[in-house]
mmCIF file of all heavy atoms in Angstrom:
data_model
loop_
_atom_site.group_PDB
_atom_site.id
_atom_site.type_symbol
_atom_site.label_atom_id
_atom_site.label_comp_id
_atom_site.label_asym_id
_atom_site.label_seq_id
_atom_site.Cartn_x
_atom_site.Cartn_y
_atom_site.Cartn_z
ATOM 1 N N VAL B 273 84.847 59.780 -143.367
ATOM 2 C CA VAL B 273 86.057 58.950 -143.360
ATOM 3 C C VAL B 273 86.819 59.069 -144.679
ATOM 4 O O VAL B 273 88.046 59.052 -144.701
ATOM 5 C CB VAL B 273 85.672 57.470 -143.118
ATOM 6 C CG1 VAL B 273 86.851 56.551 -143.357
ATOM 7 C CG2 VAL B 273 85.152 57.297 -141.711
ATOM 8 N N ILE B 274 86.051 59.251 -145.772
ATOM 9 C CA ILE B 274 86.662 59.311 -147.097
ATOM 10 C C ILE B 274 87.753 60.370 -147.146
ATOM 11 O O ILE B 274 88.803 60.175 -147.748
ATOM 12 C CB ILE B 274 85.580 59.606 -148.170
ATOM 13 C CG1 ILE B 274 84.521 58.506 -148.143
ATOM 14 C CG2 ILE B 274 86.191 59.748 -149.554
ATOM 15 C CD1 ILE B 274 83.233 58.846 -148.843
ATOM 16 N N GLY B 275 87.503 61.491 -146.456
ATOM 17 C CA GLY B 275 88.472 62.585 -146.509
ATOM 18 C C GLY B 275 89.580 62.473 -145.465
ATOM 19 O O GLY B 275 90.496 63.282 -145.455
ATOM 20 N N ARG B 276 89.461 61.497 -144.556
ATOM 21 C CA ARG B 276 90.452 61.423 -143.480
ATOM 22 C C ARG B 276 91.684 60.646 -143.923
ATOM 23 O O ARG B 276 91.639 59.832 -144.829
ATOM 24 C CB ARG B 276 89.819 60.769 -142.240
ATOM 25 C CG ARG B 276 88.606 61.547 -141.759
ATOM 26 C CD ARG B 276 88.504 61.666 -140.266
ATOM 27 N NE ARG B 276 88.401 60.407 -139.563
ATOM 28 C CZ ARG B 276 87.299 59.992 -138.934
ATOM 29 N NH1 ARG B 276 86.196 60.712 -138.973
ATOM 30 N NH2 ARG B 276 87.291 58.871 -138.269
ATOM 31 N N GLN B 277 92.784 60.938 -143.253
ATOM 32 C CA GLN B 277 94.044 60.303 -143.633
ATOM 33 C C GLN B 277 94.393 59.165 -142.675
ATOM 34 O O GLN B 277 94.624 59.388 -141.499
ATOM 35 C CB GLN B 277 95.182 61.349 -143.608
ATOM 36 C CG GLN B 277 95.145 62.317 -144.764
ATOM 37 C CD GLN B 277 95.173 61.619 -146.113
ATOM 38 O OE1 GLN B 277 95.961 60.700 -146.325
ATOM 39 N NE2 GLN B 277 94.307 62.035 -147.028
ATOM 40 N N PHE B 278 94.430 57.966 -143.213
ATOM 41 C CA PHE B 278 94.877 56.838 -142.402
ATOM 42 C C PHE B 278 96.248 56.419 -142.896
ATOM 43 O O PHE B 278 96.582 56.576 -144.063
ATOM 44 C CB PHE B 278 93.914 55.658 -142.537
ATOM 45 C CG PHE B 278 92.594 55.914 -141.904
ATOM 46 C CD1 PHE B 278 91.533 56.410 -142.646
ATOM 47 C CD2 PHE B 278 92.405 55.649 -140.556
ATOM 48 C CE1 PHE B 278 90.307 56.643 -142.064
ATOM 49 C CE2 PHE B 278 91.178 55.878 -139.963
ATOM 50 C CZ PHE B 278 90.123 56.380 -140.712
ATOM 51 N N GLU B 279 97.014 55.896 -141.961
ATOM 52 C CA GLU B 279 98.343 55.465 -142.348
ATOM 53 C C GLU B 279 98.646 54.219 -141.532
ATOM 54 O O GLU B 279 98.329 54.149 -140.349
ATOM 55 C CB GLU B 279 99.327 56.575 -141.989
ATOM 56 C CG GLU B 279 100.747 56.311 -142.407
ATOM 57 C CD GLU B 279 101.722 57.188 -141.644
ATOM 58 O OE1 GLU B 279 101.280 58.117 -140.925
ATOM 59 O OE2 GLU B 279 102.919 56.926 -141.742
ATOM 60 N N SER B 280 99.220 53.216 -142.179
ATOM 61 C CA SER B 280 99.617 52.089 -141.345
ATOM 62 C C SER B 280 101.140 52.045 -141.277
ATOM 63 O O SER B 280 101.831 52.248 -142.271
ATOM 64 C CB SER B 280 99.018 50.782 -141.848
ATOM 65 O OG SER B 280 99.466 50.506 -143.131
ATOM 66 N N ARG B 281 101.629 51.821 -140.062
ATOM 67 C CA ARG B 281 103.065 51.745 -139.850
ATOM 68 C C ARG B 281 103.366 50.411 -139.203
ATOM 69 O O ARG B 281 102.509 49.814 -138.561
ATOM 70 C CB ARG B 281 103.515 52.868 -138.897
ATOM 71 C CG ARG B 281 103.862 54.154 -139.615
ATOM 72 C CD ARG B 281 104.171 55.230 -138.621
ATOM 73 N NE ARG B 281 105.426 54.996 -137.915
ATOM 74 C CZ ARG B 281 105.991 55.928 -137.142
ATOM 75 N NH1 ARG B 281 105.424 57.096 -136.982
ATOM 76 N NH2 ARG B 281 107.116 55.674 -136.524
ATOM 77 N N SER B 282 104.574 49.943 -139.343
ATOM 78 C CA SER B 282 104.885 48.691 -138.679
ATOM 79 C C SER B 282 106.305 48.721 -138.168
ATOM 80 O O SER B 282 107.130 49.500 -138.639
ATOM 81 C CB SER B 282 104.710 47.525 -139.657
ATOM 82 O OG SER B 282 105.713 47.571 -140.632
ATOM 83 N N PHE B 283 106.548 47.908 -137.162
ATOM 84 C CA PHE B 283 107.925 47.710 -136.717
ATOM 85 C C PHE B 283 108.064 46.299 -136.191
ATOM 86 O O PHE B 283 107.072 45.645 -135.856
ATOM 87 C CB PHE B 283 108.334 48.742 -135.665
ATOM 88 C CG PHE B 283 107.654 48.601 -134.339
ATOM 89 C CD1 PHE B 283 108.194 47.783 -133.343
ATOM 90 C CD2 PHE B 283 106.479 49.284 -134.064
ATOM 91 C CE1 PHE B 283 107.569 47.653 -132.111
ATOM 92 C CE2 PHE B 283 105.847 49.164 -132.832
ATOM 93 C CZ PHE B 283 106.391 48.345 -131.857
ATOM 94 N N THR B 284 109.277 45.784 -136.148
ATOM 95 C CA THR B 284 109.512 44.450 -135.624
ATOM 96 C C THR B 284 110.011 44.592 -134.195
ATOM 97 O O THR B 284 111.020 45.242 -133.949
ATOM 98 C CB THR B 284 110.551 43.720 -136.487
ATOM 99 O OG1 THR B 284 110.136 43.814 -137.845
ATOM 100 C CG2 THR B 284 110.657 42.259 -136.095
ATOM 101 N N CYS B 285 109.295 43.978 -133.276
ATOM 102 C CA CYS B 285 109.701 44.017 -131.870
ATOM 103 C C CYS B 285 110.878 43.052 -131.702
ATOM 104 O O CYS B 285 110.802 41.916 -132.125
ATOM 105 C CB CYS B 285 108.523 43.593 -130.988
ATOM 106 S SG CYS B 285 108.970 43.269 -129.281
ATOM 107 N N GLU B 286 111.949 43.535 -131.111
ATOM 108 C CA GLU B 286 113.115 42.667 -130.985
ATOM 109 C C GLU B 286 113.396 42.279 -129.536
ATOM 110 O O GLU B 286 114.499 41.870 -129.188
ATOM 111 C CB GLU B 286 114.334 43.347 -131.611
ATOM 112 C CG GLU B 286 114.345 43.140 -133.112
ATOM 113 C CD GLU B 286 115.157 44.178 -133.847
ATOM 114 O OE1 GLU B 286 115.851 44.954 -133.175
ATOM 115 O OE2 GLU B 286 115.081 44.204 -135.078
ATOM 116 N N ASP B 287 112.375 42.382 -128.690
ATOM 117 C CA ASP B 287 112.576 42.070 -127.277
ATOM 118 C C ASP B 287 112.718 40.577 -127.018
ATOM 119 O O ASP B 287 113.250 40.160 -126.010
ATOM 120 C CB ASP B 287 111.421 42.648 -126.445
ATOM 121 C CG ASP B 287 111.457 44.162 -126.481
ATOM 122 O OD1 ASP B 287 112.413 44.698 -127.079
ATOM 123 O OD2 ASP B 287 110.541 44.798 -125.944
ATOM 124 N N CYS B 288 112.198 39.740 -127.916
ATOM 125 C CA CYS B 288 112.388 38.305 -127.763
ATOM 126 C C CYS B 288 112.494 37.713 -129.172
ATOM 127 O O CYS B 288 112.167 38.374 -130.149
ATOM 128 C CB CYS B 288 111.250 37.671 -126.959
ATOM 129 S SG CYS B 288 109.834 37.129 -127.912
ATOM 130 N N PRO B 289 112.980 36.465 -129.286
ATOM 131 C CA PRO B 289 113.182 35.923 -130.637
ATOM 132 C C PRO B 289 111.902 35.664 -131.421
ATOM 133 O O PRO B 289 111.974 35.247 -132.568
ATOM 134 C CB PRO B 289 113.925 34.600 -130.369
ATOM 135 C CG PRO B 289 114.443 34.698 -128.985
ATOM 136 C CD PRO B 289 113.498 35.572 -128.248
ATOM 137 N N ASN B 290 110.741 35.896 -130.820
ATOM 138 C CA ASN B 290 109.507 35.751 -131.594
ATOM 139 C C ASN B 290 109.453 36.758 -132.728
ATOM 140 O O ASN B 290 108.803 36.534 -133.736
ATOM 141 C CB ASN B 290 108.292 35.959 -130.694
ATOM 142 C CG ASN B 290 107.726 34.649 -130.209
ATOM 143 O OD1 ASN B 290 107.829 33.642 -130.904
ATOM 144 N ND2 ASN B 290 107.156 34.654 -129.037
ATOM 145 N N ALA B 291 110.122 37.884 -132.530
ATOM 146 C CA ALA B 291 110.211 38.935 -133.536
ATOM 147 C C ALA B 291 108.847 39.263 -134.143
ATOM 148 O O ALA B 291 108.638 39.171 -135.345
ATOM 149 C CB ALA B 291 111.205 38.547 -134.626
ATOM 150 N N CYS B 292 107.900 39.612 -133.288
ATOM 151 C CA CYS B 292 106.553 39.932 -133.756
ATOM 152 C C CYS B 292 106.588 41.167 -134.650
ATOM 153 O O CYS B 292 107.295 42.124 -134.355
ATOM 154 C CB CYS B 292 105.632 40.244 -132.580
ATOM 155 S SG CYS B 292 105.291 38.861 -131.526
ATOM 156 N N GLU B 293 105.792 41.127 -135.700
ATOM 157 C CA GLU B 293 105.638 42.314 -136.530
ATOM 158 C C GLU B 293 104.418 43.065 -136.032
ATOM 159 O O GLU B 293 103.303 42.568 -136.106
ATOM 160 C CB GLU B 293 105.450 41.920 -137.989
ATOM 161 C CG GLU B 293 106.740 41.945 -138.753
ATOM 162 C CD GLU B 293 106.562 41.501 -140.181
ATOM 163 O OE1 GLU B 293 105.497 41.768 -140.765
ATOM 164 O OE2 GLU B 293 107.486 40.863 -140.687
ATOM 165 N N ILE B 294 104.642 44.230 -135.518
ATOM 166 C CA ILE B 294 103.534 45.007 -134.961
ATOM 167 C C ILE B 294 103.056 45.982 -136.039
ATOM 168 O O ILE B 294 103.846 46.756 -136.581
ATOM 169 C CB ILE B 294 103.981 45.809 -133.721
ATOM 170 C CG1 ILE B 294 104.819 44.947 -132.777
ATOM 171 C CG2 ILE B 294 102.793 46.429 -133.013
ATOM 172 C CD1 ILE B 294 104.101 43.830 -132.111
#
Side-chain angles (χ1 to χ4, degrees):
Chain B
V273 170
I274 301 164
R276 301 220 299 249
Q277 286 304 315
F278 291 94
E279 184 199 351
S280 62
R281 271 175 70 169
S282 70
F283 69 89
T284 309
C285 168
E286 278 158 9
D287 293 356
C288 89
N290 263 330
C292 293
E293 265 178 34
I294 315 293

